[in-house]
Amino acid sequence: MDTAPPRDSAELTYRDAAQADVPALVALIESAYRGESSRAGWTSEADILGGQRTDPQGVREVITAPGSRLMIVEGDGEPVACCQLEHRGDAAYFGMFAVRPDLQGAGLGRRIIAEAERRVRETWGVSEMHMTVISVREDLIAWYERRGYRRTGRMTPFPYGDERFGVPRRDDLAFELLVKVLV
């Protein structure tokens, strides 16, 4: 697989994922967050969580749920990133964001999140984007803050004991809600 990043945003294509994309999307998401392959990028959770990040059933649920879509981003015909977009009233939820580890740090994530925000404003007319981030991921939270997201201090407990979300390597995990007002 060619590891060169797409040369510019014109070379990226965005589309809603289909059932046939599930295996490639599971592999992409896992590679961005878990195991040794994730260490090639900066979004790895390998030091705080083992096990899986997602599975085929979880990806299929995002693709098929009403008011939900999984946007797949392709560069030169290959999946390079994805994100979940879900309509929740006046807000949209942004999740399952993954960028291929060898392409992280080159501005791709910034372009994708901007496109996701544009799409939810245009499609659903929402005024906010919400997301949850593991609260100990200070570097990742700082990245989102630079994109205009604000910490709310609203925490949701990590689902300890449910290995569908990973196997925790520490006992202080929680999800913090981040919010951005879309203008």
Side-chain angles (χ1 to χ4, degrees), residues 117-118 121 126-129 180-183:
E117 292 166 356
R118 186 194 69 74
R121 278 192 315 268
V126 298
S127 58
E128 291 184 342
M129 183 81 92
K180 179 177 182 177
V181 174
L182 301 177
V183 290

Side-chain angles (χ1 to χ4, degrees), residues 33 53 62 67-71 83-97 113 116-117 119-121 124 126-134 144 149 154 156 165 175-180 182:
Y33 290 97
R53 176 63 152 70
V62 170
S68 175
R69 61 185 47 163
L70 189 55
M71 185 172 74
C83 64
Q84 171 190 8
L85 301 172
E86 184 178 318
H87 189 198
R88 296 183 178 177
D90 291 337
Y93 178 79
F94 179 84
M96 212 175 267
F97 187 31
I113 200 167
E117 292 166 356
R119 285 180 180 231
V120 300
R121 278 192 315 268
W124 296 322
V126 298
S127 58
E128 291 184 342
M129 183 81 92
H130 294 186
M131 71 174 69
T132 55
V133 179
I134 296 174
Y144 284 120
Y149 288 81
R154 292 174 31 200
T156 304
F165 299 96
F175 294 105
E176 182 170 2
L177 176 66
L178 304 183
V179 174
K180 179 177 182 177
L182 301 177

